[in-house]
């Protein structure tokens, strides 16, 4: 503890950089490294992943167990409804205040990333695209980052209504089939994602990375966007929370995926982080931003910011893994 306090003091005076120093392999050391990496860009990610019970237990487990099998209450519309927004020349936010769905407009139709809860999908995705002057019938691919209800419940509707091809990781296709029911219906098993898979539609390609951890089939994505005609690169982080069966092996899987994501993002030149919850990437607030002429997009955090994001994931996971040993 004394060492961590000294580190904190040194860091706060700017005497040392944790990124350059060896991180002590303690809970405190990893939390501090995550905190340094997060800065103000990723405070939400830091708070969700690094502020955890000291005994390594999962703070949400009791609530999830109590609610298992019960129909989910649909929250009041005013608590989640968000107007759709164009965020890049070819990218549109069609999410809620809490959950994200993104439409990438290509020369041959739309690639949709994530579909949110059933209660929001019709209003935000179908309604949102129409408000933006886009035709939801041109959705050709729906790529689901992982098989949890807050990201996959709109998939079946888009599959049935528009014949959109649905892409998920193999373990998550298995998981939703085994569960057998979900609001909005279980989508028919379609395309199984593979590592490095390139989903090309017209002039745009989304590259898929298998990043197991949050779920065993979690996917992350890399893709280019156009910002006032200039090409920028997005790294989409597909799963974050530690709401899984906590074991050292599972955290090792998560940590390896965070590194893989960070390395691939760096190689792609990504300067933007997208995710599937506003608490991780502030998508809702950032998509409200009114840019002045010449001002950079509020989504741009730079290649350094993208690297720091991956560090927050891995350092918080290392801290969480060490906490398991205490319990
Ligand atoms: Zn999830």
């Amino acid at each position: 503890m004394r060492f961590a306090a000294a580190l904190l003091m040194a860091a706060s005076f700017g005497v040392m950089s944790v990124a350059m120093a060896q991180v002590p392999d303690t809970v405190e050391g990893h939390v501090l490294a995550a905190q340094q990496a997060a800065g103000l860009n990723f405070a939400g990610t830091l708070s969700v992943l690094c502020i955890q019970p000291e005994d390594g237990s999962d703070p949400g487990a009791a609530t999830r167990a109590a609610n298992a099998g019960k129909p989910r209450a649909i929250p009041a519309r005013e608590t989640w409804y968000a107007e759709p927004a164009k965020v890049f020349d070819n990218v549109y936010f069609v999410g809620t205040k809490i959950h994200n769905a993104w439409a990438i407009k290509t020369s041959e139709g739309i690639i949709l990333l994530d579909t949110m809860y059933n209660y929001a999908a019709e209003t935000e995705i179908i309604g949102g695209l129409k408000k933006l002057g886009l035709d939801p019938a041109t959705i050709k691919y729906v790529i689901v980052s992982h098989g949890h209800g807050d990201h996959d419940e709109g998939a079946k509707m888009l599959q049935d209504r528009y014949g959109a091809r649905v892409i998920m990781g193999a373990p998550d296709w298995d998981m939703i089939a085994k569960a057998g029911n979900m609001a909005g219906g279980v989508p028919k098993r379609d395309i199984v994602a593979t590592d490095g898979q390139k989903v090309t539609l017209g002039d745009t390609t989304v590259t898929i990375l298998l990043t197991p951890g949050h779920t065993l089939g979690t996917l992350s994505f890399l893709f280019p966007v156009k910002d006032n005609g200039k090409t920028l690169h997005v790294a989409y982080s597909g799963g974050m929370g530690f709401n899984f069966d906590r074991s050292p092996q599972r955290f090792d899987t998560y940590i390896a995926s965070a590194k893989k994501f960070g390395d691939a993002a760096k190689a792609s030149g990504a300067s933007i982080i997208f995710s599937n919850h506003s608490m991780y990437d502030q998508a809702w607030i950032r998509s409200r931003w009114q840019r002045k002429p010449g001002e950079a997009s509020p989504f741009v955090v730079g290649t350094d910011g993208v690297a720091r994001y991956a560090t927050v994931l891995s350092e918080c996971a290392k801290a969480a893994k060490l906490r398991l040993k205490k319990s």
Side-chain angles (χ1 to χ4, degrees):
M1 278 306 284
R2 190 177 292 169
F3 181 56
L7 250 185
L8 188 65
M9 237 165 113
S12 64
F13 285 109
V15 178
M16 64 178 295
S17 157
V18 167
M20 288 167 70
Q22 188 67 36
V23 175
D25 192 24
T26 60
V27 171
E28 294 83 1
H30 291 299
V31 169
L32 177 61
Q35 185 186 330
Q36 291 284 90
L40 290 174
N41 287 121
F42 307 113
T45 310
L46 179 77
S47 70
V48 172
L49 299 185
C50 259
I51 299 177
Q52 295 275 329
E54 280 306 314
D55 65 359
S57 61
D58 180 348
T63 310
R64 286 201 306 280
N67 291 337
K70 289 186 194 160
R72 194 184 51 244
I74 296 176
R77 180 184 158 103
E78 63 268 24
T79 64
W80 53 266
Y81 179 76
E83 289 291 327
K86 180 174 183 170
V87 299
F88 291 110
D89 303 357
N90 59 329
V91 178
Y92 301 81
F93 173 82
V94 287
T96 68
K97 291 174 184 169
I98 300 133
H99 300 104
N100 305 344
W102 305 90
I104 305 171
K105 183 174 177 277
T106 80
S107 57
E108 302 276 329
I110 292 169
I111 300 173
L112 189 83
L113 305 178
D114 283 319
T115 68
M116 305 183 295
Y117 281 125
N118 171 61
Y119 67 75
E122 175 92 40
T123 304
E124 299 283 20
I125 298 172
I126 310 292
L129 289 174
K130 286 180 179 167
K131 272 193 177 181
L132 292 162
L134 300 170
D135 180 2
T138 65
I139 299 173
K140 296 290 194 292
Y141 289 106
V142 173
I143 316 181
V144 177
S145 63
H146 67 273
H148 284 161
D150 45 354
H151 313 296
D152 68 1
E153 287 184 3
K156 182 171 165 53
M157 171 183 73
L158 300 167
Q159 187 177 56
D160 288 354
R161 201 178 296 180
Y162 305 121
R165 303 294 305 271
V166 178
I167 306 176
M168 284 180 73
D172 287 20
W173 275 122
D174 294 344
M175 180 172 72
I176 64 169
K178 190 174 167 207
N181 63 34
M182 61 197 240
V186 181
K188 187 166 85 283
R189 189 180 182 106
D190 190 7
I191 299 172
V192 176
T194 57
D195 200 32
Q197 184 175 11
K198 297 201 179 297
V199 180
T200 299
L201 185 63
D203 56 2
T204 306
T205 297
V206 174
T207 302
I208 295 179
L209 301 172
L210 303 188
T211 50
H214 175 68
T215 65
L216 294 177
T218 292
L219 309 178
S220 296
F221 318 122
L222 301 169
F223 55 94
V225 300
K226 288 277 186 197
D227 186 38
N228 293 322
K230 188 179 160 206
T231 300
L232 301 174
H233 294 273
V234 172
Y236 189 112
S237 176
M240 269 65 74
F242 301 152
N243 49 325
F244 43 67
D245 202 5
R246 295 180 180 205
S247 67
Q249 296 75 20
R250 186 64 173 264
F251 279 114
D252 285 342
T253 302
Y254 187 107
I255 292 161
S257 289
K259 179 169 183 349
K260 177 180 177 178
F261 175 76
D263 290 348
K266 184 179 180 186
S268 78
S271 61
I272 296 160
I273 286 285
F274 273 11
S275 82
N276 45 27
H277 288 259
S278 257
M279 65 184 167
Y280 298 115
D281 64 1
Q282 298 170 297
W284 174 57
I285 288 294
R286 284 180 160 142
S287 63
R288 307 302 101 180
W289 194 258
Q290 300 292 319
R291 289 165 71 180
K292 298 182 192 80
E295 186 184 8
S297 161
F299 284 95
V300 173
V301 294
T303 52
D304 165 67
V306 171
R308 288 189 291 102
Y309 174 85
T311 299
V312 176
L313 301 191
S314 60
E315 291 297 330
C316 290
K318 287 174 188 171
K321 183 189 167 189
L322 286 177
R323 287 189 184 107
L324 291 178
K325 292 181 185 165
K326 294 183 173 177
S327 56

